[in-house]
Amino acid sequence: SHTSLFNMSFFQNLFKPKKSSQNAFKYIVLGGGNSSGYAAREFVAKGIEAGELCIITEEGYVAYERPALSKAYLFPENPARLPGFYTTVGGGGERQTLDWYQDKGIAYKVNTKIIRVDIQGKTLTAEGGTQFTFEKLIVATGCRPLTLKDFKMKGADHDKLYYLRNVQDADKLIEGMKKAKVGAKGGKVVALGGGYIGMETAAALQMNGLKVTMVLP
């Protein structure tokens, strides 16, 4: 009947995620890693207008120089901390704080996790239902470390396993280093992986007085 069709339409619209003109952008950069900060700098250099660009990240910070996490962030003395290494200081540029983005008319959505990407509809949906529309989308989510869970290995949930991807991971590692120094094993640590990040992290662990054994493929 017409009544039932009306009611169905009413409820569909009632629970449909809300779109807002405030969340409509010409460009959206999905991901808040180092590349998004440098991309923002280039957009500004090309003369982007206020309100055209939005950067979305699930982290609680604007873009920062991630290489610092396996270096100075772990130093036992005078460690690096934000806002000291916000992008683009690593490349000799400005320290792009949240105020920098706001002054340039760039929307920066922190603590915003995108759970659905509709390329055809040019729409992003975040947890909670908030939607963002775009004309052009740049995916700059970067990479993440492989975890033991990825290989379904026994003990993958052990509380003494640490990974390094973001500031939260680095803070957990620092707490783990403190505990290891007074642990029953006498401060012994195993570093899995021998790439740049693995080597730098191992060096930082040793600087903190830990005995490091590296395991490489």
Side-chain angles (χ1 to χ4, degrees), residues 133-150:
T133 60
F134 59 86
E135 294 181 27
K136 295 184 179 180
L137 176 67
I138 300 174
V139 179
T141 50
C143 59
R144 64 175 180 82
L146 290 172
T147 71
L148 297 187
K149 289 183 180 179
D150 294 327

Side-chain angles (χ1 to χ4, degrees), residues 181-193:
K181 289 180 181 180
V182 297
K185 298 294 184 180
K188 294 181 180 179
V189 179
V190 174
L192 181 59

Side-chain angles (χ1 to χ4, degrees), residues 31-32 56-61 109-114 127 168:
I56 302 176
T57 178
E58 63 180 316
E59 287 194 69
Y61 307 92
K109 307 294 184 179
V110 297
N111 297 312
T112 303
K113 184 175 182 178
I114 298 299
E127 282 185 339
Q168 290 85 351

Side-chain angles (χ1 to χ4, degrees), residues 110-194:
V110 297
N111 297 312
T112 303
K113 184 175 182 178
I114 298 299
I115 59 173
R116 185 172 183 269
V117 179
D118 181 354
I119 297 298
Q120 186 173 3
K122 295 189 174 183
T123 302
L124 305 178
T125 303
E127 282 185 339
T130 302
Q131 290 191 331
F132 303 88
T133 60
F134 59 86
E135 294 181 27
K136 295 184 179 180
L137 176 67
I138 300 174
V139 179
T141 50
C143 59
R144 64 175 180 82
L146 290 172
T147 71
L148 297 187
K149 289 183 180 179
D150 294 327
F151 300 100
K152 297 180 172 58
M153 294 183 65
K154 184 178 180 180
D157 293 322
H158 198 287
D159 62 359
K160 289 184 174 61
L161 282 173
Y162 300 91
Y163 301 93
L164 189 57
R165 159 67 176 164
N166 52 41
V167 168
Q168 290 85 351
D169 291 339
D171 288 339
K172 290 178 183 177
L173 180 57
I174 290 170
E175 290 302 311
M177 288 193 295
K178 294 177 182 177
K179 293 177 182 178
K181 289 180 181 180
V182 297
K185 298 294 184 180
K188 294 181 180 179
V189 179
V190 174
L192 181 59

Side-chain angles (χ1 to χ4, degrees), residues 1-171:
S1 67
H2 292 293
T3 302
S4 62
L5 288 174
F6 171 78
N7 289 339
M8 183 180 296
S9 176
F10 172 78
F11 284 109
Q12 286 176 339
N13 290 329
L14 181 64
F15 294 105
K16 187 176 181 180
K18 295 181 179 179
K19 293 183 180 180
S20 169
S21 59
Q22 294 182 344
N23 291 331
F25 300 94
K26 185 173 183 179
Y27 308 101
I28 289 183
V29 178
L30 180 56
N34 217 6
S35 59
S36 66
Y38 282 90
R41 184 179 69 175
E42 291 305 308
F43 271 112
V44 170
K46 298 296 183 182
I48 192 173
E49 295 184 7
E52 288 189 328
L53 174 63
C54 175
I55 301 174
I56 302 176
T57 178
E58 63 180 316
E59 287 194 69
Y61 307 92
V62 297
Y64 55 89
E65 305 279 352
R66 289 190 191 277
L69 298 179
S70 57
K71 301 183 182 72
Y73 199 87
L74 302 178
F75 285 0
E77 297 181 7
N78 300 317
R81 291 292 182 269
L82 292 172
F85 56 97
Y86 278 129
T87 306
T88 57
V89 293
E94 296 181 68
R95 183 178 291 110
Q96 296 175 191
T97 63
L98 180 59
D99 289 340
W100 183 92
Y101 294 95
Q102 292 175 340
D103 291 343
K104 301 296 188 291
I106 299 171
Y108 209 118
K109 307 294 184 179
V110 297
N111 297 312
T112 303
K113 184 175 182 178
I114 298 299
I115 59 173
R116 185 172 183 269
V117 179
D118 181 354
I119 297 298
Q120 186 173 3
K122 295 189 174 183
T123 302
L124 305 178
T125 303
E127 282 185 339
T130 302
Q131 290 191 331
F132 303 88
T133 60
F134 59 86
E135 294 181 27
K136 295 184 179 180
L137 176 67
I138 300 174
V139 179
T141 50
C143 59
R144 64 175 180 82
L146 290 172
T147 71
L148 297 187
K149 289 183 180 179
D150 294 327
F151 300 100
K152 297 180 172 58
M153 294 183 65
K154 184 178 180 180
D157 293 322
H158 198 287
D159 62 359
K160 289 184 174 61
L161 282 173
Y162 300 91
Y163 301 93
L164 189 57
R165 159 67 176 164
N166 52 41
V167 168
Q168 290 85 351
D169 291 339
D171 288 339

